[in-house]
């Protein structure tokens, strides 16, 4: 059986493996295909592709967008996007600007808690990375303010913690549109992670289906088998393709491993790929 992983972060966003390290690790894990899906950047894609060019592995160009949906944040993955499209690159730059502005406000919040943070120093610590809350968390660990990443999120940067500041995000319908416009296949990421009730999830899936979403992430590292079955059922009801990925972040999420997640049943079979490719061919300009 051939296995793949369609949700992987690198050092271009908040993963801790560089593009070449992720390729080597995927080979070690016997994966035949991985998709690189960093937050708001495609910088790692071409690096991983050229490093992998003489190796028995394929790198799918991908992205993960944080989107707004009814006052909440949901994530949309894009696969087989054209990473050289100028409009896409311009949009990504705008999204990164909203992060930069938000990060400045978070630094001001930390100052109120007597924790001095230098964004310049963070930039040197994580060169060329899109700076996310995961970087703030590792900065706090490195500086000894907290013992580990979990404590950093619990005490400072988690969704309900005092130094978290939200930012303006792209509406979910616009993200789907943007992905399609650059030949990509749009997939709702990890629907069971949004802390929504059953009816809310159903509504989310039917809404994004109406917006033209192509697929839904059914196999995911932290899902129980029953979560997976709920998503598979939603996919059936809404005629969506299914994808699977670990959401590997290296040392930033130590409980998640590339290709097989945490729960032991989240290996992702390569036979999910043909439907994804077929869909991409529809959107390809
Ligand atoms: P941001 O997009 O800057 O708001 O940062 C969100 C990132 O922080 C996510 O992509 C996750 O990788 C990470 N993250 C969020 N919550 C946690 C958590 N409780 N523990 C570890 N990492 C987290
Ligand atoms: Mn992340
Ligand atoms: Mn996500
Ligand atoms: Mn992710």
């Amino acid at each position: 059986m051939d296995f793949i992983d369609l949700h992987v972060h690198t050092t271009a966003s908040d993963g801790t493996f560089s593009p070449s390290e992720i390729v080597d690790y995927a080979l070690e894990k016997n994966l035949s295909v991985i998709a690189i899906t960093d937050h708001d950047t495609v910088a790692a894609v071409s690096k991983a592709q050229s490093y992998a060019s003489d190796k028995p592995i394929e790198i799918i160009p991908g992205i993960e967008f944080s989107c707004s949906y009814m006052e909440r944040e949901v994530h949309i993955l894009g696969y087989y996007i054209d990473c050289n499209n100028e409009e896409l690159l311009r949009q990504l730059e705008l999204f990164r600007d909203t992060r930069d502005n938000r990060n400045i406000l978070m630094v001001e919040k930390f100052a109120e808690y007597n924790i001095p943070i230098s964004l310049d120093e963070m930039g040197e610590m994580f060169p060329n990375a899109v700076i996310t809350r995961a970087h703030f968390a590792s900065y706090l660990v490195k500086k000894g303010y907290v013992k580990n990443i979990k404590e950093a999120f619990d005490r400072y940067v988690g969704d309900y913690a005092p130094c978290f500041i939200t930012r303006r995000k792209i509406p979910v319908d616009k993200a789907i549109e943007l992905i399609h416009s650059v030949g990509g296949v749009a997939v709702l990421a990890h629907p069971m992670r949004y802390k929504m009730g059953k009816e809310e999830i159903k509504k989310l899936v039917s809404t994004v289906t109406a917006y033209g979403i192509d697929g839904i992430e059914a196999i995911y590292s932290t899902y129980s088998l029953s979560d997976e079955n709920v998503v598979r059922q939603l996919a059936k009801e809404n005629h969506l393709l299914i994808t699977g990925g670990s959401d590997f972040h290296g040392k930033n999420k130590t409980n998640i491993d590339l290709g097989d997640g945490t729960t032991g049943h989240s290996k992702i079979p390569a036979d999910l790929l043909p439907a994804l490719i077929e869909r991409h061919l529809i959107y390809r300009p």
Side-chain angles (χ1 to χ4, degrees), residues 86-111:
E86 281 187 17
E87 177 56 20
L88 174 70
L89 296 174
R90 203 180 66 84
Q91 288 292 335
L92 294 180
E93 223 172 290
L94 293 176
F95 299 157
R96 294 195 294 264
D97 286 347
T98 71
R99 286 184 175 277
D100 290 347
N101 296 335
R102 184 279 301 260
N103 291 348
I104 291 167
L105 297 175
M106 282 184 54
V107 169
E108 286 171 10
K109 263 283 175 230
F110 273 105

Side-chain angles (χ1 to χ4, degrees), residues 7 9 39 64-66 73-77 189-190 193-194 217 220 247 249 253:
H7 192 154
H9 294 267
H39 304 286
E64 181 172 23
F65 290 135
S66 311
E73 174 174 327
V74 304
H75 294 181
I76 302 285
L77 296 157
H190 45 60
R193 254 191 47 193
Y194 299 132
E217 197 169 41
Y220 185 75
D247 210 355
H249 281 68
K253 289 191 180 175

Side-chain angles (χ1 to χ4, degrees), residues 7 39-40 63-78 99 133 159 166-176 179 187-196 200-201 203-205 207-209 211 213 216-217:
H7 192 154
H39 304 286
D40 299 339
I63 190 90
E64 181 172 23
F65 290 135
S66 311
C67 309
S68 57
Y69 165 78
M70 302 202 358
E71 317 284 310
R72 287 171 177 273
E73 174 174 327
V74 304
H75 294 181
I76 302 285
L77 296 157
R99 286 184 175 277
R133 282 185 279 159
D159 288 355
T166 186
R167 70 196 156 87
R168 198 164 46 78
K169 295 173 205 88
I170 181 173
V172 79
D173 53 324
K174 298 283 177 229
I176 296 168
I179 290 167
V187 171
L188 177 66
H190 45 60
M192 303 304 280
R193 254 191 47 193
Y194 299 132
K195 302 190 179 82
M196 293 179 176
E200 273 180 300
I201 294 181
K203 169 100 192 302
L204 165 67
V205 176
T207 305
V208 293
T209 300
Y211 291 150
I213 202 123
I216 184 166
E217 197 169 41

Side-chain angles (χ1 to χ4, degrees), residues 106-118 139-140 143 145-146 155-156 163:
M106 282 184 54
V107 169
E108 286 171 10
K109 263 283 175 230
F110 273 105
E112 289 173 24
Y113 287 78
N114 293 319
I115 298 180
I117 293 188
S118 154
Y139 184 94
L140 295 175
K143 294 281 179 180
Y145 291 107
V146 291
R155 283 180 59 190
Y156 295 109
C163 297

